[in-house]
Amino acid sequence: NRTFPEGFIFGCSTAAYQVEGAWNESGKGESIWDRATHSDPGWVRGADNGDVACDSYHKYKEDVSLIKSIGFDVYRFSISWTRLLPDGALGNVNKAGVDYYNNLITELLSKGIRPVVTLYHWDLPQALQDMGGWPNPVIVDYFVDYADLAFRLFGDRVKMWITLNEPLEYCGEGYGTGHNAPRVNLTGAADYLCGHTALLAHARAYRLYRDKYADEQKGRVGITLNSEWYEPKNATGEEDRLAAERAQQFELGWFAHPIFSETGDYPPAMKERVMVNSLAEGRSRSRLPTFTPEDVALVKGSADFFALNHYSSYLATPQPDDGGRRGVTSRDNDIGVLKTKDPKWPGSAVYWLKTVPWGFRKLLVWVRDQYGNPPLYVTENGFADRGEIHDTGRQEYLMGYLEELLNAIHADGCDVRGYMTWSLLDNFEWTDGYQVLFGMHAVNFTDPARPRTPKESATLFKQLTSTRRLPTTEEKEMCLRSGI
Ligand code: PNW
């Protein structure tokens, strides 16, 4: 069955720092990505940054017409916290920022496209980082104030909200490995503190919406969690099966278990392992913070739907020396899993992204079983190349992943309600700059006008949204030859 269910939603995603540009225009304040890219330009590949990016701040009408021409139902974009609140705090609301998002939302709705709005896609106000950033629980209050403002300003027209995008990534890479802004390298400690604040900030924003806005605005609020699929390296070995399950719990479970499980709180296996390692390091308590019973109750059930970003899979086997138990503090050692890629899996422009469609289906089934089959939206899924128009790698990827998504719906009974692809445009791919590109439209980043050109996958999506059915390979080829 290649048909998508009645009411299934198609869309595409972007994030403010990756597409907007205008980094200091019309009163916008400085974010941690502005600071990190400017203070150490060589840090990002090609010394690139998001100062101009796709210039969507000025070209949003053109973006909306591209979305319209593909026939998407929704557009997922993020609000730049510092465009609305330059210092991160109420007291200084930037009128130009309010105007920009009002204009974007109006433009979308005038073309029949519904906005899906992410409040936080990694661009923390630098002023809040100066207070310690996400590892400091004071950020909860600032985030709730910001969310309150956004609900009040835009909630009459925005009916689907995402509080945070991928806390696993921005905590793990921003405060753990130091790979992303704000480049804090305190793995196994500050990443867990960040995650704790993130869960509380999300839950408080969710409860605020329910209490103050839901009756009148009738919108829904969720959080976007990302997960790869972990497949046991040796299919018959119990050790590898346990390693794969542990990786799944430490990554998706870290955030999903407190919100979507029956019991709430962190996954038991995660609490136990971090405690054991912490004590082995001579500490008197776990590096993983503790939720009070009130916190557990606050966070449990704090989502109206499950939003999932998924890209690829890993093979899992236990980390041979089980490093954490030897006293080196790191989140990787807490997980204790060696992650590899099967060399047979087709590759992309980045090492971590291989085309493994069946992993998507297994992950969807895992979510169904762990969390009671929640209504689920895929909020990101996509493929990286060098920006070519004849994007066969992306087409193969999308055909494969959408086929497995259909299997998950029709054969496994997963309650998947929508699919948003990453991304509308080639854009600033974080520390990979403009060398690794995920768009269905190419952008010429050397031309000040930043012209957009549809890739072949844009045609494929056009066909998808008009037929609501996944074409066969032959139908796809025919459609590409005729240009719809
Ligand atoms: C997502 N991984 O991040 C982000 O939400 C986007 O902003 C980003 O552009 C997109 O994926 C493509 O990278 C991820 O290594 C980055 O597993 C890397 C991973 C997962 C998610």
Side-chain angles (χ1 to χ4, degrees), residues 172-338:
E173 305 301 314
Y175 298 92
T177 63
H179 183 78
N180 283 353
R183 303 180 71 185
V184 174
N185 179 204
L186 209 57
T187 175
D191 36 17
Y192 293 138
L193 295 173
C194 170
H196 207 70
T197 308
L199 282 161
L200 293 170
H202 156 76
R204 285 263 314 277
Y206 176 83
R207 303 290 172 204
L208 174 93
Y209 188 86
R210 300 301 318 162
D211 293 346
K212 195 166 162 186
Y213 296 100
D215 283 349
E216 199 190 313
Q217 296 185 353
K218 303 192 174 12
R220 290 173 302 157
V221 180
I223 179 172
T224 284
L225 305 180
N226 66 299
S227 187
E228 309 303 273
W229 172 251
Y230 291 96
E231 180 73 6
K233 185 163 192 210
N234 174 350
T236 54
E238 179 65 0
E239 294 249 295
D240 288 7
R241 196 190 61 77
L242 289 172
E245 176 65 17
R246 193 158 70 238
Q248 216 66 65
Q249 290 295 353
F250 258 89
E251 298 203 356
L252 185 52
W254 179 5
F255 298 97
H257 199 278
I259 299 172
F260 295 97
S261 73
E262 293 266 332
T263 49
D265 204 350
Y266 293 117
M270 181 179 186
K271 287 205 287 188
E272 197 217 294
R273 283 186 66 97
V274 182
M275 176 64 91
V276 168
N277 285 353
S278 301
L279 297 179
E281 291 156 20
R283 298 168 191 261
S284 52
R285 68 188 68 81
S286 178
R287 288 178 270 102
L288 186 67
T290 312
F291 284 122
T292 64
E294 293 73 34
D295 290 341
V296 170
L298 173 84
V299 175
K300 194 159 77 91
S302 62
D304 298 323
F305 53 86
F306 197 113
L308 179 70
N309 290 355
H310 173 72
Y311 286 91
S312 192
S313 292
Y314 283 98
L315 298 174
T317 192
Q319 186 69 256
D321 60 357
D322 208 6
R325 286 154 211 262
R326 299 198 176 169
V328 180
T329 299
S330 83
R331 191 166 61 87
D332 275 346
N333 285 341
D334 291 338
I335 305 173
V337 172
L338 184 68

Side-chain angles (χ1 to χ4, degrees), residues 370-392:
Q370 289 280 317
Y371 309 118
N373 204 13
L376 186 146
Y377 294 86
V378 176
T379 42
E380 287 180 28
N381 175 249
F383 182 83
D385 57 21
R386 301 282 168 195
E388 44 275 33
I389 301 297
H390 181 50
D391 56 352
T392 48

Side-chain angles (χ1 to χ4, degrees), residues 15 18 76 121-122 165-166 169 226 228 309 311 314 351-352 380 422 427-430 438:
Q18 295 178 273
R76 172 177 178 252
H121 200 123
W122 306 4
N165 179 69
E166 301 187 348
E169 292 305 308
N226 66 299
E228 309 303 273
N309 290 355
Y311 286 91
Y314 283 98
Y351 73 95
W352 57 265
E380 287 180 28
W422 185 272
N427 60 48
F428 179 76
E429 178 53 19
W430 309 112
F438 281 84

